[in-house]
Amino acid sequence: MMPASPRDLPTPRNPWSAFRRQHLFDYPAPALAAWVAITGCGLLALGWALWRTLALPAASAGPVLLALGLAAVASNFSLKLPRSAYTLGVADVFIFAALATLGPAVAVLAAGVEAMIGSWRTSKRLSSRLSSPAAGMAAMAACGAVFEAAKAGLMWAGGSPEVATLAALCGAALVPFALTTAPLMAMMALKRGLPLRPFEWFADASWLAALYLGTAFAAGLVHLNAQRFGPAVLLVSAALVLGLVLLLRLHLRRQEAERAVQEAQLAEAQREAVLSQQRFTAAFTHAAIGMAIVRPCGGILQVNEAFCALLGRQPATLVDQPFCSVLHAGDMALFRRHAEAVAARPDESFSMELRVQGPDGSDLWVAVHCSQYDDPGGNGACLIYQLHDITSRHLAESRLHHIAFHDGLTDLANRHCFNERLEVAVEQSRLDAERRFAVLFLDLDRFKIVNDSLGHMAGNQLLREVAQRLGTCVRPNDLVARLGGDEFAILLEDLHDPALGQRVAQRVLEVLTQPLAINGVEVVPGASVGITFSDLGYRTVDEVLRDADLAMYEAKAGGRGRVALFDSAMHEKVAEKLALEGELRRAIGEGQLSVHFQPLYALTPYRLIGFEALARWNHPQRGPVSPAVFIALAEESGHIEALTDWVIDHAVQQLAHWQRSLPGGAQLGMHVNISGRDLGRPSLVTQVQQVLQRHAPTPGTLTLEITETTLMGRLDAALPTMSALRERGVGFSIDDFGTGYSSLAYLGTLPIDSLKIDRSFVMGLHDKPQNVEIVRAVLNLGRSLGRKVIAEGIETTEQLATLRALGVPVGQGYLLSRPLRADQVPALLALGLDATVAA
């Protein structure tokens, strides 16, 4: 191996120099002088104590050794104050007890033993191991001198030995307090080069003074009790004090252990908080959605990359700017209300959709979620916003919304959209009477004819044309809607002049009276319009639509192509109608209805050939109700089927009775009116067949009458029913012939037996010459088709003569006979079936 170079060898060190710096002579000169003085005083006190102790009698050796032993043992039972560097010793109790019992010399030795053991346990510096016992012995020597002087003085002043001992001991206890703490604190100040401050020393160490006084007082009590009860009290007191110290040490150690656990938990919580903040920072920075932290004042504190990418801006242009500056102006007010609510309530949050300005300046729709965020940087309760781009979804939803709220055929608003808009208008008008509105409800007059004759495609074309024309009649902010079928509605908002509603309605009628060509056919849509205004104090949408609908039906009832304004009297009509409907239902079941029979006569030669059954209703309270009223009501309410079945059954029963009971009555016939709904129901065939089987009239004597318009409107549904009934011997007659639009091609093939000329033509035979030609044409048509012709409504002899002259074979009317009750018919028949009428 190569020899080491001088620079590689360790630098020689002087062991004595190191020992001196570590243990003794590294103090500044003043501190070293103080140390020498304290140590010197302590050695003097030790020498004096040994001299005095050795001079004691041999009998005192045991107590002296006991006092020194108790001090040594008690020095190991100190109590460390929680959360501080101080320890409390209990050896002072025994040292002061030794002072009171054995004298100052033994107390000095006991103080030295206790201080030496404590310093060797707590410090490795030789200077401290020497100065601490020295200071303790010197202080106790001074304490002993003061104790004896004070005790003598108190006894000289007349105090009892017990009181003098206790008082002197407590007073003298302040001497070691001062001589022990003051030099040590002075040395610490001198070592650090700090000035001496006696008042600060006393303020910092005053608790130690109280401790010395308490210790001296306890020692005095032990001494007095030992004098009275014997030395055993010292042993009992020593055991009690040491036991208390042990229990307190156990408790304090447990507290220290718990505190250590709590501190460990707190440290762990702090570590988790740091980690959590780090995780939040990472999640915030790298989140896929835009995030922004906003100060309580509304300024942006921090944004992430996704937020900047969403807006197309750099962080520097966003930080410290108001968060509202990135929002659409139309959304700011609503956003502020939500944000203020969250700021006022820490547990609140909100989500909403609003617009922000994108990189290209266009509006982007974003879903915003806001909640509170406690900023660890000291900015207080901030708000954190999360922004997610939902522009694509919003566009798709807008398209779906348009589909959901608009009619697919006409692209007008649908019923749902109209109801929502009307609901807002009703609420605004309820809160502010000046916010007036009007609703126009219209129904096309000829849509069904177009739809049925030209087909559904033509009907759809008509609806689209009507929708376009309605759009030209209203203001930009008004709403036109198709409610369904051929029903339309118009909402006129902010209506300052009620006359505007009337003018719009008239414009609607005008544009819908203009013809249009569909499949080469010129069609006039036509409409009936009902209007209602908000001045009536509506509270619900249903109320508005109900009244507008009633007004529309009033317009239809007035002749179509009209405008009707709703008034409260319409409610009364509807209420009356509903009441009458219920009463009709009960009348059918309770037998309030009856059947009257109007005779049918062959005009040449004149003879009775049958009857027409006519339903009559004699109401218990209202009196006779017009057939035109209750039969129309039965058709509207759905009771017509029950009414028809009842009339057919009653009429056939009566016919069969007359055919069997009257001479020559077997050939009498019976005409019964039925409705279009009756022809469309399959149960009619079964019902009529059961009636015929039950009452067994002469075959072929039952004829069912149906109006020309009803038959042609339901021809496809009626033909199967008519054919089935015809096979069962039931005849058919077209009532009110000439008022509808029958096709000659159909008339030749329909299973009908007769045509009844409408009474309007008969009544005008002498006033309107053309009526004579109409009757002649119908008569010729009937002859050519092999159908019998019946004239109804004959009321004058002139009408009868003209009809006979024209060759009309059958007639009926008030001139010939009014409708009769069943019990009146036998009297008529008593005149003979071939009775004639005087010219």
Side-chain angles (χ1 to χ4, degrees):
M1 295 179 62
M2 295 180 66
S5 64
R7 66 191 309 174
D8 295 328
L9 296 175
T11 303
R13 302 177 63 184
N14 187 336
W16 169 248
S17 299
F19 175 81
R20 182 183 61 192
R21 285 194 301 270
Q22 179 178 1
H23 293 285
L24 188 60
F25 301 113
D26 59 338
Y27 291 164
L32 181 60
W35 179 85
V36 171
I38 292 171
T39 304
C41 291
L43 290 175
L44 291 175
L46 175 62
W48 174 80
L50 288 173
W51 174 66
R52 290 289 301 270
T53 302
L54 292 175
L56 292 173
S60 300
V64 171
L65 293 176
L66 178 61
L68 297 179
L70 288 174
V73 171
S75 65
N76 292 292
F77 285 83
S78 60
L79 295 175
K80 186 177 184 304
L81 297 179
R83 302 184 183 182
S84 71
Y86 295 103
T87 58
L88 297 179
V90 297
D92 291 338
V93 175
F94 302 104
I95 295 173
F96 284 123
L99 174 62
T101 304
L102 300 175
V106 176
V108 170
L109 293 177
V113 169
E114 187 271 337
M116 181 181 67
I117 294 174
S119 64
W120 279 80
R121 187 177 66 248
T122 59
S123 177
K124 294 182 179 180
R125 296 175 63 89
L126 180 61
S127 58
S128 297
R129 290 179 175 180
L130 293 177
S131 61
S132 293
M137 289 187 291
M140 185 50 63
C143 176
V146 171
F147 169 70
E148 289 187 337
K151 180 179 179 181
L154 290 171
M155 291 181 67
W156 178 80
S160 65
E162 291 81 5
V163 173
T165 300
L166 187 59
L169 191 60
C170 290
L174 295 176
V175 175
F177 155 71
L179 296 178
T180 301
T181 58
L184 290 177
M185 290 190 175
M187 284 190 62
M188 295 294 295
L190 293 174
K191 284 173 61 178
R192 297 172 183 175
L194 300 175
L196 299 177
R197 295 186 177 91
F199 294 104
E200 290 186 6
W201 155 75
F202 184 78
D204 292 339
S206 58
W207 65 276
L208 283 175
L211 188 63
Y212 270 96
L213 286 173
T215 303
F217 182 76
L221 293 178
V222 171
H223 166 71
L224 294 176
N225 281 282
Q227 284 186 334
R228 183 175 182 181
F229 300 106
V233 172
L234 294 174
L235 297 176
V236 173
S237 300
L240 179 61
V241 171
L242 295 178
L244 290 174
V245 171
L246 287 174
L247 292 175
L248 286 174
R249 179 184 288 183
L250 179 62
H251 175 71
L252 293 176
R253 284 180 177 176
R254 182 174 180 179
Q255 280 191 335
E256 283 295 313
E258 291 176 353
R259 185 175 65 85
V261 172
Q262 291 176 352
E263 289 178 350
Q265 292 175 344
L266 178 60
E268 179 65 20
Q270 292 174 342
R271 189 179 70 85
E272 283 296 326
V274 173
L275 292 176
S276 177
Q277 181 62 28
Q278 292 174 348
R279 295 189 195 102
F280 170 79
T281 302
F284 179 87
T285 303
H286 302 293
I289 62 175
M291 300 180 71
I293 300 175
V294 179
R295 296 186 180 93
C297 64
I300 297 176
L301 176 63
Q302 186 178 356
V303 294
N304 68 349
E305 297 176 359
F307 188 88
C308 297
L310 177 66
L311 303 180
R313 297 172 62 177
Q314 296 298 320
T317 64
L318 293 169
V319 174
D320 295 330
Q321 297 298 314
F323 183 79
C324 287
S325 64
V326 305
L327 304 180
H328 188 278
D331 298 333
M332 286 187 185
L334 180 61
F335 169 80
R336 284 197 180 101
R337 286 200 298 271
H338 284 286
E340 290 170 359
V342 172
R345 292 185 291 273
D347 56 342
E348 287 287 327
S349 64
F350 75 86
S351 297
M352 64 180 301
E353 296 179 1
L354 43 75
R355 291 161 292 178
V356 298
Q357 190 174 30
D360 58 353
S362 62
D363 288 337
L364 298 178
W365 280 95
V366 293
V368 178
H369 179 78
C370 172
S371 58
Q372 282 210 0
Y373 169 75
D374 291 329
D375 179 45
N379 287 287
C382 298
L383 298 179
I384 184 168
Y385 294 96
Q386 304 175 49
L387 281 70
H388 181 60
D389 187 357
I390 58 168
T391 304
S392 299
R393 191 199 79 191
H394 196 272
L395 291 176
E397 288 178 350
S398 297
R399 289 192 290 269
L400 291 175
H401 184 273
H402 183 84
I403 294 172
F405 284 84
H406 288 77
D407 176 54
L409 178 63
T410 62
D411 203 39
L412 294 177
N414 59 14
R415 180 181 290 273
H416 184 55
C417 178
F418 188 84
N419 286 353
E420 282 199 356
R421 181 90 167 262
L422 179 57
E423 184 177 11
V424 174
V426 169
E427 183 63 17
Q428 289 177 342
S429 178
R430 189 180 68 83
L431 298 175
D432 182 4
E434 296 300 320
R435 301 290 297 272
R436 298 184 180 91
F437 68 86
V439 171
L440 281 65
F441 197 102
L442 61 110
D443 181 88
L444 301 184
D445 291 335
R446 304 186 60 81
F447 173 73
K448 189 177 187 307
I449 297 174
V450 173
N451 210 42
D452 292 344
S453 59
L454 301 180
H456 294 294
M457 296 298 293
N460 291 343
Q461 183 179 346
L462 175 62
L463 292 174
R464 284 192 290 267
E465 177 64 24
V466 169
Q468 292 179 359
R469 294 187 182 186
L470 292 178
T472 65
C473 300
V474 298
R475 301 167 300 175
N477 293 332
D478 296 330
L479 180 66
V480 181
R482 180 189 174 210
L483 303 185
D486 62 339
E487 291 182 343
F488 295 83
I490 300 174
L491 173 61
L492 306 176
E493 295 186 271
D494 297 325
L495 197 67
H496 302 293
D497 182 10
L500 176 62
Q502 296 277 9
R503 292 196 295 270
V504 172
Q506 291 299 329
R507 283 202 299 269
V508 168
L509 291 184
E510 290 173 5
V511 299
L512 294 185
T513 56
Q514 302 300 318
L516 71 150
I518 300 179
N519 296 342
V521 179
E522 189 176 85
V523 176
V524 176
S528 299
V529 182
I531 309 178
T532 188
F533 293 91
S534 58
D535 296 335
L536 296 175
Y538 292 110
R539 302 186 67 85
T540 66
V541 170
D542 291 339
E543 292 176 353
V544 179
L545 294 179
R546 176 200 63 199
D547 290 352
D549 191 35
L550 286 176
M552 185 271 293
Y553 276 106
E554 187 73 13
K556 276 189 177 295
R560 300 175 182 266
R562 296 176 63 252
V563 176
L565 179 64
F566 174 81
D567 60 55
S568 57
M570 295 180 184
H571 273 313
E572 298 175 2
K573 291 181 182 179
V574 172
E576 177 72 12
K577 190 175 183 180
L578 290 175
L580 194 61
E581 178 184 328
E583 293 167 356
L584 174 62
R585 182 172 58 253
R586 291 191 296 273
I588 296 174
E590 296 174 359
Q592 294 181 19
L593 300 179
S594 62
V595 178
H596 287 199
F597 302 93
Q598 185 170 29
L600 292 169
Y601 288 93
L603 300 184
T604 305
Y606 185 79
R607 62 188 179 88
L608 180 65
I609 62 173
F611 299 90
E612 180 181 356
L614 303 173
R616 293 292 184 264
W617 182 15
N618 189 18
H619 193 280
Q621 287 80 36
R622 301 174 185 268
V625 180
S626 170
V629 174
F630 74 80
I631 291 177
L633 181 61
E635 290 184 351
E636 290 181 15
S637 61
H639 300 321
I640 191 64
E641 297 176 2
L643 179 60
T644 299
D645 291 344
W646 181 83
V647 173
I648 290 176
D649 181 74
H650 192 82
V652 171
Q653 179 186 15
Q654 191 64 56
L655 175 65
H657 171 69
W658 288 333
Q659 288 176 344
R660 288 191 293 269
S661 62
L662 298 175
Q667 298 305 314
L668 288 174
M670 182 67 69
H671 286 232
V672 179
N673 293 283
I674 62 174
S675 69
R677 291 186 60 169
D678 292 320
L679 274 181
R681 60 183 173 110
S683 63
L684 179 65
V685 177
T686 303
Q687 174 68 18
V688 172
Q689 183 177 1
Q690 290 175 353
V691 169
L692 294 176
Q693 291 174 351
R694 183 165 55 250
H695 302 300
T698 302
T701 56
L702 174 62
T703 299
L704 300 180
E705 291 188 6
I706 185 168
T707 64
E708 179 185 11
T709 302
T710 301
L711 176 60
M712 300 310 296
R714 296 175 176 265
L715 192 57
D716 293 339
L719 282 176
T721 302
M722 294 176 69
S723 299
L725 289 172
R726 187 66 178 267
E727 293 173 357
R728 290 161 176 76
V730 178
F732 285 92
S733 178
I734 296 182
D735 196 11
D736 299 335
F737 187 76
T739 59
Y741 56 98
S742 301
S743 169
L744 295 180
Y746 277 119
L747 283 176
T749 59
L750 289 175
I752 59 176
D753 301 282
S754 60
L755 305 174
K756 292 188 75 171
I757 302 174
D758 185 68
R759 67 178 61 247
S760 62
F761 299 120
V762 175
M763 295 177 66
L765 283 175
H766 296 283
D767 299 332
K768 300 178 181 178
Q770 65 270 25
N771 282 11
V772 176
E773 299 304 321
I774 292 174
V775 172
R776 181 179 286 114
V778 173
L779 185 61
N780 292 333
L781 177 63
R783 289 170 181 169
S784 63
L785 295 177
R787 307 293 191 261
K788 183 168 56 178
V789 175
I790 303 171
E792 61 178 344
I794 304 173
E795 297 184 358
T796 66
T797 56
E798 291 81 2
Q799 294 170 356
L800 177 61
T802 302
L803 292 173
R804 279 177 169 174
L806 291 172
V808 176
V810 181
Q812 68 179 112
Y814 280 5
L815 175 66
L816 305 179
S817 177
R818 289 179 174 272
L820 305 173
R821 299 190 305 272
D823 59 352
Q824 294 174 322
V825 171
L828 175 67
L829 295 176
L831 300 175
L833 297 176
D834 57 350
T836 61
V837 177

